[in-house]
Amino acid sequence: MAITSTVTVRITDELSPTFFSSSSSASTRAYWKLTRRLTSFAYDRHTDREFGIGGKLKATTNPYSYTEVARPEERKSLTVFLVEAGDFVGSDGGPPRWFSPLECGKRAPESPLLLYLPGIDGTGLGLIRQHKRLGEIFDIWCLHFPVSDHTPARDLVKLIEKTVRSEHYRFPNRPIYIVGDSIGASLALVVAASNPDIDLVLILANPVTRFNNFILQSLLGFLDILPDGVPSLIAENFGFSQGSPLTEMFETMLNETDAAQMARGLLGELFATSSNMPTLMRIFPKDTLLWKLQLLKSASACANSQMDTVNAQTLILLSGRDQWLVNKEDIERLRALPRCEVREFENNGQFLLLEDGVDLVSIIKRAYYYRRGKSLDYISDYILPTPFEFKEYEESQRSLAGVPSEGPVLYVGNHMLLGMELHAIALQFLKERNILLRGLAHPLMFTKNKGSKLPDMQLYDLFRIIGAVPVSGMNFYKLLRSNAHVALYPGGVREALHRKGEEYKLFWPEHSEFVRIVSKFGAKIIPYGVVGEDDLFEMVLDYNDQMKIPFLKNLIEEITQDSVNLRIDEEGELVKQDLHVPGIVPKIPGRFYVYFGKPIETEGREKELSDKEKAHEVYLQVKSEVEKCMTYLKIKRETDPYRNILPRSLYYLLHGFSSQIPTFDLRDH
């Protein structure tokens, strides 16, 4: 795409590709820094690519003005990976060797070296979906294990160490990145432990540090006795053509058998359909797969024995699905290392770097793990976000971006003082997602006996107009049956009218039936936490104080008698449903914070959750999640630059009173 411009960066002959070398003059490097800063603002909004030196800039165009149409960069598919991997091993032979992918293209000056150590496939193509973007900021070398190669782990470590030391000698002031996938991650840990004097940055995807899984041991034994030619004979004589009866039978087996689940754990989505089998059999003939498992065993044992001595800067990428190989205890050992950070990807599987939505460059940038010198330079090492990355950030700041559109959904949370959070949350649901959130509220908001001293019904107009419903089993059932979005507060009146020092303390009943009811409709349960009342006011006269004042004590007892006690069967604090108005002193306004936790699925679990003990386990899980959400918010709000009213007011003046003020980044949770 051509961009016309009134501002053009002109590149002279001095800035030929040769100036990128470390021998460039200081003036040339300074000129490069200047032009790089100018061109860093130029993006093609349709391809989400940054223009390099020599691009024409349009001074009046803001690339972040078009984020609604921004798309992620098109990348090679998993099918392309299989095709290229099949071609790669077609005429394979010789020892392990390095190669540099052709599609990496031109990279930025002084880019650090990135060594990729493959997983169990051994092709070295595990970054094929990442090559293009990584190649702009790294010099990429990928290690390839030929299919017939049986180099032991100790010799592979020597090969990697030789390369690391050689490149460190050439560029002693640059870090060397090692990206390792499963087996490769084990090898990377060993290399880092043996070379503490070299500046290494490890990025480890699902590192394997222990080989004690009973199923994998059984697989080794099975492969050991399997005749050599069986897999290829099956493929050659029966085939796996699309739509054939054998294909359908095999795919059924893939979905239902324990053996298939074991294979999925090893090979992830590559084992997803029978059409991939011929390529997999070429990459993994029986003797090769047997050797790879032995290699995995020895490499992981070596990594396990040395991981505690690793001092390299380390970023661990951990998948949430198909984790047959990752040992959680060892991940905790790695997490305890002085320079280690762990990022979790709950919805991804074993082959993390080949999956959709996983952009390694974005991950590195967000973690602030990209540097070109001995230490991170927060100015010159910073890489501007692409329009799509900015779009992702913008969406992450929307409080309701991950809320399901379709019901039924049950939102279970904590009450702040006087239940003030329900109105604000319900309004935001309507404004941002066009979802009507029906809050289950105390009956006193809907009915009042003649002569009662309960507050006037008009006080609750704001709650009723946004869809609040009297809490009852029948109303709860009817809402779920109508596929509604429902808000439930198990803490009830006791939580909404808490005492001094009880902010963010849950007063939930010992048992509850809502889990079993929800499971009948297959509704999602979304726990959430709310904090902020302590930034709005301070309680000076609570229930205990008021009960010491005779006329207030009499008033509390009278209005409580006029109301309905929904917890009459409970004991202890939960039965104390006395109604009163706490005495509060307002503060300079802070902010409300709402955080929605991980959804809990009940669809297909009606039979399981009809058991009271099983339902109670889910109930306790919901309660724990709500507490975690509150704890997270109380910690993270300390980093919110707009927590106080002055910076918020300035933001409104600069961006308009209808703008949404950002808060802390939620993506690291």
Side-chain angles (χ1 to χ4, degrees):
M1 173 183 175
I3 295 185
T4 58
S5 173
T6 55
V7 178
T8 303
V9 178
R10 185 176 180 182
I11 306 305
T12 68
D13 292 338
E14 290 180 70
L15 289 177
S16 63
T18 56
F19 96 98
F20 293 162
S21 69
S22 59
S23 61
S24 305
S25 66
S27 59
T28 304
R29 289 196 298 270
Y31 183 70
W32 158 246
K33 288 183 179 179
L34 172 62
T35 55
R36 186 186 64 183
R37 290 189 181 186
L38 288 172
T39 57
S40 64
F41 291 97
Y43 286 82
D44 181 337
R45 65 185 175 92
H46 295 288
T47 62
D48 197 29
R49 302 285 295 160
E50 183 176 354
F51 279 80
I53 297 178
K56 296 181 178 180
L57 308 181
K58 190 172 182 179
T60 58
T61 300
N62 180 358
Y64 303 115
S65 298
Y66 304 98
T67 56
E68 68 275 3
V69 297
R71 297 290 182 271
E73 178 186 79
E74 289 188 8
R75 300 189 294 169
K76 291 185 176 181
S77 66
L78 190 59
T79 302
V80 173
F81 163 75
L82 288 166
V83 171
E84 295 197 13
D87 294 341
F88 213 52
V89 301
S91 56
D92 213 3
R97 53 189 177 272
W98 299 101
F99 69 93
S100 185
L102 293 176
E103 64 263 38
C104 288
K106 187 176 180 180
R107 58 183 177 271
E110 301 178 359
S111 296
L113 176 66
L114 185 150
L115 303 177
Y116 173 64
L117 311 183
I120 196 168
D121 66 290
T123 62
L125 295 174
L127 292 179
I128 193 169
R129 307 190 75 181
Q130 317 283 341
H131 284 164
K132 202 167 185 180
R133 291 202 68 198
L134 283 172
E136 295 174 350
I137 59 176
F138 289 106
D139 180 9
I140 303 177
W141 296 9
C142 302
L143 187 59
H144 171 64
F145 304 148
V147 170
S148 59
D149 179 73
H150 289 175
T151 302
R154 63 178 180 276
D155 291 338
L156 290 173
V157 169
K158 290 178 181 178
L159 169 65
I160 300 165
E161 284 186 328
K162 181 179 179 181
T163 303
V164 165
R165 290 169 182 167
S166 172
E167 291 303 305
H168 175 66
Y169 179 79
R170 291 181 62 209
F171 303 106
N173 295 322
R174 293 188 200 173
I176 296 175
Y177 285 70
I178 303 181
V179 177
D181 195 351
S182 63
I183 294 177
S186 299
L187 297 173
L189 285 168
V190 178
V191 170
S194 304
N195 295 272
D197 56 322
I198 297 178
D199 184 10
L200 298 176
V201 180
L202 307 184
I203 300 175
L204 311 179
N206 298 316
V208 182
T209 52
R210 191 172 303 195
F211 193 88
N212 60 0
N213 189 296
F214 173 77
I215 295 178
L216 294 180
Q217 295 284 13
S218 301
L219 182 59
L220 270 173
F222 172 73
L223 287 172
D224 203 26
I225 63 173
L226 184 71
D228 292 341
V230 169
S232 57
L233 284 173
I234 293 174
E236 292 170 5
N237 295 319
F238 295 96
F240 289 97
S241 59
Q242 189 68 29
S244 70
L246 181 62
T247 297
E248 294 178 2
M249 180 183 71
F250 191 81
E251 289 182 349
T252 299
M253 184 195 78
L254 288 178
N255 291 326
E256 296 180 0
T257 65
D258 291 339
Q261 293 299 318
M262 179 168 52
R264 284 184 193 277
L266 286 170
L267 306 179
E269 296 303 315
L270 298 183
F271 202 69
T273 64
S274 58
S275 61
N276 296 338
M277 286 301 295
T279 301
L280 289 175
M281 288 176 180
R282 292 172 66 192
I283 299 174
F284 299 109
K286 179 236 173 174
D287 62 331
T288 297
L289 183 55
L290 185 61
W291 169 252
K292 291 291 176 62
L293 292 174
Q294 294 289 358
L295 177 62
L296 177 65
K297 184 177 181 179
S298 58
S300 61
C302 193
N304 186 275
S305 65
Q306 299 186 52
M307 72 168 72
D308 293 325
T309 65
V310 172
N311 191 45
Q313 188 179 9
T314 305
L315 180 64
I316 295 178
L317 312 179
L318 201 60
S319 297
R321 295 190 292 105
D322 302 330
Q323 288 296 21
W324 297 83
L325 301 176
V326 174
N327 184 278
K328 292 185 178 180
E329 292 181 6
D330 291 338
I331 294 298
E332 292 305 315
R333 286 172 60 194
L334 288 170
R335 197 191 295 264
L337 295 177
R339 305 175 67 195
C340 180
E341 181 177 331
V342 177
R343 300 227 162 185
E344 299 183 8
F345 301 82
E346 294 184 355
N347 298 319
N348 295 96
Q350 185 67 38
F351 277 22
L352 177 67
L353 300 175
L354 285 171
E355 297 192 22
D356 290 334
V358 177
D359 188 327
L360 188 54
V361 170
S362 290
I363 293 169
I364 292 170
K365 286 163 63 175
R366 289 170 179 170
Y368 265 42
Y369 264 57
Y370 183 72
R371 56 186 172 90
R372 291 170 295 173
K374 290 186 175 181
S375 60
L376 173 64
D377 186 324
Y378 288 93
I379 309 303
S380 63
D381 286 331
Y382 176 72
I383 304 171
L384 280 168
T386 64
F388 182 72
E389 288 172 335
F390 183 81
K391 178 182 179 180
E392 287 186 309
Y393 169 77
E394 191 176 35
E395 290 179 348
S396 77
Q397 297 302 303
R398 296 175 183 170
S399 59
L400 305 177
V403 168
S405 299
E406 303 296 328
V409 182
L410 177 66
Y411 304 85
V412 185
N414 64 295
H415 260 322
M416 290 200 297
L417 194 64
L418 301 173
M420 62 181 67
E421 74 289 334
L422 175 59
H423 179 258
I425 295 173
L427 282 179
Q428 196 67 18
F429 266 64
L430 276 173
K431 179 181 178 182
E432 189 172 321
R433 296 295 305 278
N434 195 27
I435 292 174
L436 180 62
L437 182 63
R438 310 298 303 274
L440 291 166
H442 197 281
L444 69 86
M445 293 185 178
F446 304 91
T447 59
K448 177 183 177 181
N449 296 329
K450 289 284 186 180
S452 172
K453 293 185 179 179
L454 284 169
D456 191 277
M457 290 293 97
Q458 189 174 349
L459 181 65
Y460 305 112
D461 283 355
L462 289 175
F463 293 93
R464 294 198 299 269
I465 199 170
I466 59 170
V469 179
V471 61
S472 72
M474 180 58 68
N475 285 338
F476 186 38
Y477 187 93
K478 288 164 67 177
L479 286 169
L480 294 173
R481 187 175 61 186
S482 65
N483 293 327
H485 290 246
V486 186
L488 175 68
Y489 298 91
V493 168
R494 179 63 182 85
E495 202 167 276
L497 300 178
H498 55 254
R499 321 317 186 210
K500 292 176 183 176
E502 292 180 348
E503 302 90 352
Y504 315 126
K505 181 178 179 181
L506 299 184
F507 290 92
W508 289 21
E510 184 67 24
H511 299 278
S512 178
E513 289 294 310
F514 76 78
V515 173
R516 295 209 291 173
I517 297 173
V518 163
S519 69
K520 296 181 184 298
F521 298 93
K524 288 184 175 68
I525 301 174
I526 300 183
Y528 71 95
V530 189
V531 304
E533 69 170 75
D534 50 349
D535 274 357
L536 294 175
F537 43 70
E538 183 173 351
M539 189 184 302
V540 294
L541 201 67
D542 68 1
Y543 170 81
N544 295 328
D545 296 325
Q546 294 183 34
M547 290 299 286
K548 297 174 183 177
I549 302 173
F551 82 91
L552 288 179
K553 178 182 178 182
N554 293 336
L555 178 61
I556 290 171
E557 290 174 348
E558 187 173 347
I559 62 175
T560 300
Q561 188 67 32
D562 288 340
S563 183
V564 178
N565 188 341
L566 300 175
R567 296 288 166 78
I568 195 169
D569 295 327
E570 298 292 338
E571 298 178 354
E573 285 295 318
L574 295 181
V575 79
K576 297 179 181 179
Q577 301 286 303
D578 294 1
L579 302 179
H580 65 286
V581 179
I584 57 177
V585 174
K587 294 181 178 180
I588 297 175
R591 300 183 80 177
F592 278 164
Y593 300 86
V594 182
Y595 186 79
F596 294 87
K598 181 181 178 181
I600 298 171
E601 298 284 351
T602 67
E603 187 173 5
R605 302 177 64 187
E606 180 180 357
K607 184 176 180 181
E608 173 195 353
L609 296 178
S610 63
D611 179 84
K612 286 190 175 183
E613 290 186 5
K614 293 290 185 182
H616 186 61
E617 290 177 5
V618 175
Y619 174 71
L620 294 179
Q621 181 185 355
V622 174
K623 183 178 181 181
S624 175
E625 283 293 321
V626 172
E627 290 174 328
K628 289 178 182 177
C629 289
M630 289 191 292
T631 301
Y632 172 76
L633 287 173
K634 285 190 287 183
I635 294 172
K636 291 295 290 184
R637 68 175 174 175
E638 299 295 330
T639 66
D640 181 7
Y642 300 99
R643 182 178 178 184
N644 296 320
I645 193 171
L646 180 58
R648 293 204 305 277
S649 301
L650 292 173
Y651 188 95
Y652 278 136
L653 290 173
L654 291 172
H655 298 87
F657 287 96
S658 61
S659 59
Q660 181 170 321
I661 300 177
T663 181
F664 48 80
D665 194 344
L666 298 176
R667 290 170 299 177
D668 60 345
H669 183 56

